[in-house]
Amino acid sequence: MDYSADWKVKKLGEIASYKKDNAPVSKKNYISTENIKQNFEGIEQYKSKEVVTGTAFEKNNILIANIRPYLRKIYFAEFCGSCSHDVLALEANEKIYAKFLYYCLANDDFIAYMKIGR
């Protein structure tokens, strides 16, 4: 069966949106460029109960460190929380599965695209 006819090229903004609202959270539910692990390896959760404010994200959102893309810091959120303003929070829309979008972004082709700054 040939599935190639069913695929269409879309811009990221057509299938996902950036989260913009701020919310206070316990730091254990906070994501920053410091606690996203390199090479798409998840996060190291903070242990502090201190309250911090950042961009609110939801479970199944995709968090991308927007500085030093060569470190390959992209995380698929497993909980709700907030992230620093150096982390982009993307929410997939109803046209695409969030986990599929994550796998499209957490790969070397996307990192190479980010590095050229388009």
Side-chain angles (χ1 to χ4, degrees):
M1 198 168 194
D2 180 15
Y3 292 101
S4 62
D6 296 336
W7 291 88
K8 294 180 180 146
V9 175
K10 297 283 184 179
K11 293 183 178 184
L12 186 56
E14 295 176 293
I15 57 172
S17 58
Y18 292 110
K19 305 290 281 188
K20 296 178 183 174
D21 295 332
N22 287 326
V25 295
S26 168
K27 194 159 183 179
K28 69 181 187 128
N29 292 335
Y30 185 75
I31 304 294
S32 73
T33 56
E34 295 173 3
N35 71 327
I36 298 178
K37 294 180 181 180
Q38 296 181 30
N39 301 316
F40 318 120
E41 293 188 9
I43 61 166
E44 182 70 38
Q45 221 166 351
Y46 292 115
K47 297 188 182 351
S48 172
K49 293 181 182 177
E50 167 190 7
V51 174
V52 294
T53 299
T55 304
F57 65 85
E58 297 172 24
K59 183 177 179 180
N60 300 326
N61 285 175
I62 301 156
L63 307 177
I64 304 171
N66 68 359
I67 56 174
R68 295 186 297 253
Y70 57 87
L71 294 176
R72 302 161 63 191
K73 292 185 171 193
I74 299 178
Y75 173 64
F76 188 76
E78 298 172 350
F79 55 86
C80 296
S82 288
C83 59
S84 75
H85 298 293
D86 289 333
V87 175
L88 304 174
L90 288 175
E91 180 173 39
N93 68 25
E94 68 280 350
K95 297 177 185 177
I96 189 167
Y97 289 107
K99 194 71 168 192
F100 178 76
L101 179 57
Y102 165 77
Y103 285 119
C104 289
L105 301 178
N107 73 62
D108 290 328
D109 290 336
F110 181 71
I111 298 301
Y113 182 79
M114 284 178 53
K115 289 194 305 190
I116 59 173
R118 290 192 181 173

